[in-house]
Amino acid sequence: MAASKPPRVPVILAFDIGGSGIKAMRLDPSGKPLGERNRLSTPHPARPAAVLSVMRSLAASARPFDKVSVGFPGVVRGGVVWSAVNLHDDWVGFDLAKALRKALGKPVRVANDADVQGMGVVTGRGVELVVTLGTGFGSALFVDGALVPNLELGHHPFRRGETYEEQLGAAALDDVGAKRWNRRVGKALKVLSRVYNFDSLRIGGGNGRKVTLKLPANVSVVPNTAGLSGGAALWKD
């Protein structure tokens, strides 16, 4: 009698939506990549229909998959977007989970992109802060592995009457150059350390690799792919 085949491991298609690019990668339930990361440019203007069209294109080349996770750059509650500063105002009130579920025919879960990145790198021990440096400035706070929801630190005043996002986003990097931008990153780390008294801080996002200053022992730069691999955690019930 032939041995029965083991059941197929469910495949998660993870998306990471950014202001400049939309990435996708297939994962196993532990977050291990099942193939290469694919990327397409974020459309401009980045209205929901245009972004969904790009996501459908990425999904078409990533089959088969069973579930979908999405990291979105803004406040998300129950799959509905409530802010999208770096995309378009049309996102406010848009049910992304429902629209993508209809478009792809698979169950979908959506969370803030920094929260997803954090899920991919935190250890579950102590106070862990995650910041993402990309088009904007994302943030996620975890206490003993539990996420503190809806932390939008990027829009909080930082210095000279400007927010973290205005001082450390991609536009600021282009404007002042890498050397001055890195000095600002260093100042931000000192402020965040005093405010949150974190045990560890991890820097992600597309511009994380441009951080060249000497970092404290409890601060590290993590791969931007964590914004995808963390998507598996959305399905750990």
Side-chain angles (χ1 to χ4, degrees):
M1 182 176 178
S4 59
K5 292 183 179 180
R8 186 173 69 85
V9 174
V11 175
I12 300 165
L13 178 59
F15 289 98
D16 182 8
I17 301 174
S20 61
I22 300 173
K23 287 81 71 179
M25 186 165 63
R26 296 167 75 245
L27 310 169
D28 73 7
S30 71
K32 180 182 178 180
L34 299 173
E36 297 297 317
R37 183 195 79 160
N38 292 321
R39 180 188 186 278
L40 292 173
S41 295
T42 303
H44 294 285
R47 290 187 170 94
V51 170
L52 282 168
S53 178
V54 172
M55 296 175 79
R56 282 195 297 268
S57 296
L58 288 166
S61 61
R63 295 185 182 278
F65 57 89
D66 304 286
K67 305 173 183 179
V68 178
S69 66
V70 183
F72 185 88
V75 174
V76 180
R77 295 192 185 96
V80 179
V81 174
W82 292 108
S83 74
V85 175
N86 293 308
L87 294 180
H88 197 279
D89 288 345
D90 284 1
W91 282 99
V92 177
F94 185 81
D95 193 332
L96 176 55
K98 180 179 179 181
L100 197 57
R101 184 167 60 247
K102 181 178 180 180
L104 302 182
K106 302 292 182 180
V108 178
R109 291 182 179 176
V110 186
N112 171 266
D113 58 346
D115 292 351
V116 173
Q117 179 128 170
M119 292 172 191
V121 298
V122 297
T123 65
R125 297 188 296 273
V127 178
E128 298 176 273
L129 184 62
V130 178
V131 299
T132 57
L133 302 173
T135 302
F137 181 98
S139 57
L141 180 65
F142 296 80
V143 180
D144 292 331
L147 173 68
V148 178
N150 300 322
L151 179 68
E152 285 290 293
L153 180 61
H155 306 299
H156 192 277
F158 170 40
R159 61 189 292 270
R160 297 190 176 182
E162 292 189 331
T163 64
Y164 285 88
E165 183 147 315
E166 289 170 320
Q167 286 270 306
L168 296 172
L173 174 58
D174 291 341
D175 183 43
V176 304
K179 187 175 181 178
R180 287 180 60 191
W181 181 81
N182 267 272
R183 286 202 297 267
R184 292 180 180 182
V185 171
K187 291 176 181 177
L189 293 177
K190 290 179 181 178
V191 173
L192 296 175
S193 178
R194 290 194 295 268
V195 172
Y196 290 97
N197 296 293
F198 52 75
D199 294 292
S200 63
L201 183 147
R202 293 174 179 83
I203 302 171
N207 287 332
R209 65 184 185 276
K210 297 180 181 179
V211 175
T212 57
L213 75 160
K214 183 176 175 57
L215 296 171
N218 61 343
V219 178
S220 60
V221 176
V222 298
N224 194 32
T225 52
L228 290 164
S229 60
L234 296 184
W235 290 100
K236 290 181 180 178
D237 295 319

